[in-house]
Amino acid sequence: VITGASSGLGQALARHYLKLGFTVAMIARRGDLLQPLGKEFPGQSLCYPLDVRDSSSMQLAASDLMARVGIPDVVIANAGVSVGTLTEHSEDIEYIQQIMDTNVLGVAKTFQPFISPMRSAHKGTLVGIASIAGFRGLPGAGAYSASKAAAISYLESLRVELRDSGINVVTICPGYIRTPMTAPNPYRMPFILESADAARRIARAIDRQTAYAVIPWQMAFVGFVLRHMPRPLYDALLATAQRKPRASPSRPQHDTEPPSHRQSRHASEK
Ligand SMILES: NC(=O)c1ccc[n+]([C@@H]2O[C@H](COP(=O)([O-])OP(=O)(O)OC[C@H]3O[C@@H](n4cnc5c(N)ncnc54)[C@H](OP(=O)(O)O)[C@@H]3O)[C@@H](O)[C@H]2O)c1
């Protein structure tokens, strides 16, 4: 099960597992963007056009897919949104809410329906896609950084809660990946990965049941330095760093919720 399979990393992960012959349940709001992959791998995919913030849609989809193909081996909570936010602008509050709802609550809502069945079966892997942006508060991206920091802590809690249940919890912290999410970034993105390469590395970490992985490894080093940098130095270095652009009516963000996405749709099989 992969959320956010209509674009970027989620689509690359779906393609990776489909190529290996797995049955993949793909979830995203834009059902039309899920369909081409489904057509390319006929009989191997289930498509659920829904919003991960809507727990009843997520529960319906989970029941439907478990009735069709059984308890999933792996559930990847990958759906996420990112846009620059500045708290002084009242219009950014809505974006802050969308980011927290999707990147934090969306992960819990994705996993929730699968935990009891996986516990009964004493097997399964829950994967959360966090980010190195959760290591320190990035200026201009406070909501995104906070959401990923929350995701990292949440996934750690879940991992310990589910110890000895037979369910593994894998936390993935990617650095930069070339996807529509990073396309508007005006700054240099060191060690950026193509989405197919990132998907391969993430799948390897999942196969190994790694509890926690930073991808690529070079970003683990950057992350270590970031995490341990003294606060005054961090503040001085980051104060002038280029920032993620804010959403604006003249430059709509594809990755936050456009008005046409506000209604969740029913799950459908393809
Ligand atoms: N790209 C990077 O450098 C990078 C680095 C670290 C972490 N990440 C994380 O990796 C994940 C994938 O990001 P990406 O770069 O592949 O971005 P992307 O190309 O913008 O894809 C985001 C995906 O999430 C889905 N999504 C967003 N909100 C949703 C919602 N409410 N319900 C269901 N699906 C939703 C989108 O589908 P719909 O719009 O069709 O719903 C889309 O498929 C995110 O969690 C992101 O934070 C990315």
Side-chain angles (χ1 to χ4, degrees):
V1 178
I2 303 174
T3 68
S6 64
S7 166
L9 177 61
Q11 195 174 60
L13 282 164
R15 178 177 291 281
H16 176 88
Y17 284 109
L18 285 165
K19 271 189 181 164
L20 291 176
F22 286 91
T23 300
V24 179
M26 301 186 287
I27 294 172
R29 293 165 300 179
R30 291 170 294 177
D32 51 323
L33 297 187
L34 297 175
Q35 289 183 7
L37 208 46
K39 286 205 181 105
E40 215 182 301
F41 295 90
Q44 248 182 280
S45 68
L46 302 166
C47 293
Y48 296 93
L50 62 84
D51 190 321
V52 295
R53 294 170 297 176
D54 179 353
S55 34
S56 36
S57 296
M58 200 51 235
Q59 280 161 355
L60 278 176
S63 306
D64 184 76
L65 75 89
M66 285 192 280
R68 291 174 195 274
V69 293
I71 301 166
D73 299 312
V74 180
V75 176
I76 307 179
N78 161 80
V81 289
S82 171
V83 65
T85 50
L86 290 176
T87 308
E88 72 212 60
H89 298 286
S90 60
E91 64 272 26
D92 283 12
I93 294 296
E94 199 193 333
Y95 288 112
I96 294 173
Q97 171 128 29
Q98 283 179 28
I99 290 168
M100 299 304 284
D101 282 354
T102 309
N103 299 2
V104 186
L105 289 168
V107 178
K109 288 174 183 176
T110 298
F111 291 157
Q112 189 281 324
F114 298 105
I115 293 181
S116 288
M118 282 182 170
R119 194 191 277 281
S120 305
H122 208 71
K123 69 178 180 71
T125 300
L126 303 174
V127 183
I129 305 296
S131 170
I132 59 154
F135 293 175
R136 292 295 283 260
L138 297 177
Y144 187 70
S145 273
S147 75
K148 293 301 183 179
I152 292 168
S153 294
Y154 162 75
L155 290 162
E156 183 156 78
S157 300
L158 195 64
R159 188 177 70 238
V160 183
E161 284 160 22
L162 295 176
R163 196 177 153 88
D164 303 326
S165 68
I167 306 172
N168 291 302
V169 178
V170 176
T171 302
I172 303 287
C173 293
Y176 293 109
I177 306 167
R178 207 178 308 281
T179 70
M181 183 179 279
T182 47
N185 290 354
Y187 40 81
R188 215 172 61 80
M189 293 182 275
F191 307 114
I192 190 164
L193 296 176
E194 298 305 321
S195 57
D197 186 13
R200 253 191 318 275
R201 291 171 193 241
I202 290 169
R204 206 180 307 137
I206 295 170
D207 276 354
R208 291 183 185 146
Q209 300 292 330
T210 317
Y212 178 93
V214 180
I215 290 182
W217 66 266
Q218 291 91 333
M219 286 311 263
F221 176 72
V222 174
F224 180 87
V225 172
L226 265 181
R227 270 185 196 279
H228 292 88
M229 190 179 286
R231 207 166 286 124
L233 180 61
Y234 180 81
D235 291 4
L237 280 178
L238 271 284
T240 53
Q242 278 192 297
R243 297 171 180 196
K244 181 106 182 163
R246 291 173 58 234
S248 75
S250 59
R251 201 186 55 73
Q253 296 286 312
H254 90 284
D255 45 3
T256 43
E257 181 189 48
S260 58
H261 286 156
R262 283 174 196 247
Q263 284 175 340
S264 66
R265 286 159 284 179
H266 290 294
S268 67
E269 191 201 3
K270 183 174 58 75

